[in-house]
Amino acid sequence: MDLLTNFWQLFLLSAPWLMLGLLIAGLLNVYLPTDFLHRHLGKEGLWTTIKAALIGAPMPLCSCGVIPAAIGLRRAGASKSATTAFLVSTPETGVDSVSVSYVLLGPFMAVIRPIAAVCSAIAAGVLVGKESEFNNERTKTSHNLETVTSSCCSTKQATAKEPTSSCCSTKQAPTVEKASCCASKKEVVKIEGGVAKLKRAISFSCNKLLEDTMVWLVIGLFFAALVQTYVPESYLSQWGSGIFAMLVVILISIPMYICATASTPIAAGLLLSGVSPGAVLVFMLAGPATNVATLGVVGKELGQRAVVAYLIGVIGVALLFGFLTDYLVSEFGFVVAPMMGEEHQVLPHWLSLVCGVLLVALMLRLALKILLKKSTQTGKSIS
């Protein structure tokens, strides 16, 4: 019973941020010009990754809300490295989490946390971009080998193409018609009103985007509820400091489904129970960026090999900044201590409840549509 209660509480906490993420993704899909994304975020490279990390850092989205926003960014034309950087920097830090960090952990952690989050996003984005470039080179090499092996057929292909090119002069009319109809569609998009665009954005968010993400969202929340129910806080505090404590914190934080703001009170509790500031920072970086739902979406949208590069970038930078934090605290005497010991609700309970009920209704509607579609396809195959 405690597991179900924790799952429902986590679902209610995540629902408003998930709805916000879905809305932002829909607005990006409709309002943001494709040429803008191709120009600023469409190429692989360091500068593109830095821009995506800086764009995502101040946004107040949690682990659940950033998933649909990142998918919308990717499908609107952003590169793999830019999508990864946005996917890491957005849940790891934000304007709201910096202010909460200042209150609960002190000014030093409020400064080093966003710096570490941006560096982590850049590292993960560059590694995923390099992995995609390596895959592209492999496909080009294999394509060139296929071209060389089939070069003996080039004369046959040329003779086959000559009659088709001579008789295609009368068949060019359909392409002209297609071009003209595409032009009319562009005109329709140009004169589309603001209300129609908003409806299209909401429809995209509540149908296609939610359908693609809701399974992993539910799985991630369930794993988070399992950790919250069966892994006590004292289990983390017994490891203290050092590399072993950081690795244990990473292993525990991967199933957890929390955002930067929600992880801060937990980090303050760990700090009070004896965990080192470096291990606390590792928890706040790894928890929001390496949960099960995010890793599942990375594998689905960017490829399975990208998951390895993603984890190396996020965990590697988190460990580096963990050691750096412990060194700075011990050498220069920076104070890392909660300025207040109580957690405050970021959003009112009634808003979380309304968003949770609405999200459940949307998910049930999509699940029913999928079941009906499968049943009709099964009926057609039988007939």
Side-chain angles (χ1 to χ4, degrees):
M1 195 65 187
D2 290 337
L3 179 62
L4 295 177
T5 303
N6 289 333
F7 176 81
W8 178 243
Q9 289 176 352
L10 287 170
F11 187 85
L12 288 182
L13 287 173
S14 303
W17 306 107
L18 177 58
M19 298 292 286
L20 179 61
L22 289 169
L23 180 61
I24 290 175
L27 295 176
L28 286 173
N29 183 266
V30 173
Y31 285 95
L32 200 61
T34 306
D35 58 344
F36 174 84
L37 286 174
H38 281 296
R39 188 168 63 251
H40 292 281
L41 302 178
K43 296 179 181 179
E44 305 287 355
L46 180 61
W47 178 234
T48 302
T49 307
I50 292 173
K51 285 193 288 186
L54 293 176
I55 289 172
M59 295 184 71
L61 286 177
C62 66
S63 306
C64 53
V66 72
I67 291 175
I71 293 176
L73 199 66
R74 171 65 178 162
R75 295 182 182 179
S79 63
K80 285 187 177 182
S81 59
T83 305
T84 303
F86 182 84
L87 193 60
V88 174
S89 68
T90 305
E92 282 190 347
T93 187
V95 177
D96 53 343
S97 64
V98 170
S99 60
V100 175
S101 299
Y102 180 82
V103 173
L104 295 180
L105 299 173
F108 174 73
M109 294 295 276
V111 172
I112 199 170
R113 182 181 187 178
I115 295 174
V118 172
C119 292
S120 175
I122 293 171
V126 169
L127 287 174
V128 172
K130 292 292 183 183
E131 186 272 334
S132 65
E133 287 178 2
F134 177 73
N135 284 342
N136 291 335
E137 288 177 2
R138 287 182 62 185
T139 53
K140 284 181 182 178
T141 304
S142 61
H143 179 70
N144 290 336
L145 289 173
E146 289 175 1
T147 305
V148 170
T149 53
S150 61
S151 60
C152 59
C153 300
S154 58
T155 55
K156 293 181 181 179
Q157 290 174 356
T159 54
K161 286 180 181 177
E162 284 178 1
T164 55
S165 61
S166 60
C167 65
C168 284
S169 58
T170 57
K171 293 183 180 179
Q172 289 177 356
T175 56
V176 174
E177 290 177 3
K178 286 182 180 179
S180 62
C181 71
C182 288
S184 63
K185 285 182 180 178
K186 287 180 181 178
E187 289 175 2
V188 171
V189 172
K190 285 181 181 178
I191 62 174
E192 188 179 14
V195 177
K197 280 188 175 182
L198 184 60
K199 287 182 179 179
R200 191 152 58 91
I202 295 174
S203 176
F204 173 78
S205 301
C206 297
N207 291 283
K208 178 62 179 172
L209 204 54
L210 184 59
E211 182 181 346
D212 291 341
T213 57
M214 65 179 184
V215 175
W216 281 109
L217 290 169
V218 173
I219 292 173
L221 287 172
F222 180 74
F223 271 97
L226 280 175
V227 172
Q228 187 177 357
T229 305
Y230 298 110
V231 180
E233 190 177 280
S234 58
Y235 180 80
L236 295 175
S237 61
Q238 66 179 321
W239 303 107
S241 60
I243 181 65
F244 195 68
M246 295 179 188
L247 292 176
V248 170
V249 165
I250 289 172
L251 290 175
I252 297 299
S253 65
I254 285 177
M256 297 185 75
Y257 203 66
I258 51 175
C259 62
T261 304
S263 67
T264 308
I266 301 175
L270 294 175
L271 193 66
L272 288 172
S273 60
V275 177
S276 69
V280 167
L281 181 63
V282 170
F283 170 79
M284 291 191 295
L285 293 175
T290 59
N291 57 74
V292 176
T294 302
L295 296 179
V297 171
V298 169
K300 181 181 178 182
E301 294 291 325
L302 306 180
Q304 296 299 325
R305 291 170 62 93
V307 177
V308 179
Y310 180 92
L311 286 173
I312 290 173
V314 173
I315 294 175
V317 174
L319 290 173
L320 286 175
F321 270 89
F323 284 117
L324 178 63
T325 299
D326 284 340
Y327 172 78
L328 293 175
V329 169
S330 62
E331 289 294 322
F332 299 98
F334 290 111
V335 178
V336 180
M339 298 178 67
M340 53 188 300
E342 296 182 358
E343 177 185 356
H344 293 278
Q345 281 191 339
V346 179
L347 296 174
H349 179 70
W350 65 265
L351 180 61
S352 299
L353 187 61
V354 170
C355 292
V357 172
L358 180 61
L359 191 59
V360 168
L362 291 172
M363 287 181 172
L364 289 176
R365 170 179 162 271
L366 287 175
L368 185 61
K369 284 178 65 177
I370 294 170
L371 289 174
L372 290 175
K373 186 178 179 181
K374 286 184 178 180
S375 62
T376 53
Q377 288 177 352
T378 306
K380 286 181 181 179
S381 62
I382 293 173
S383 60

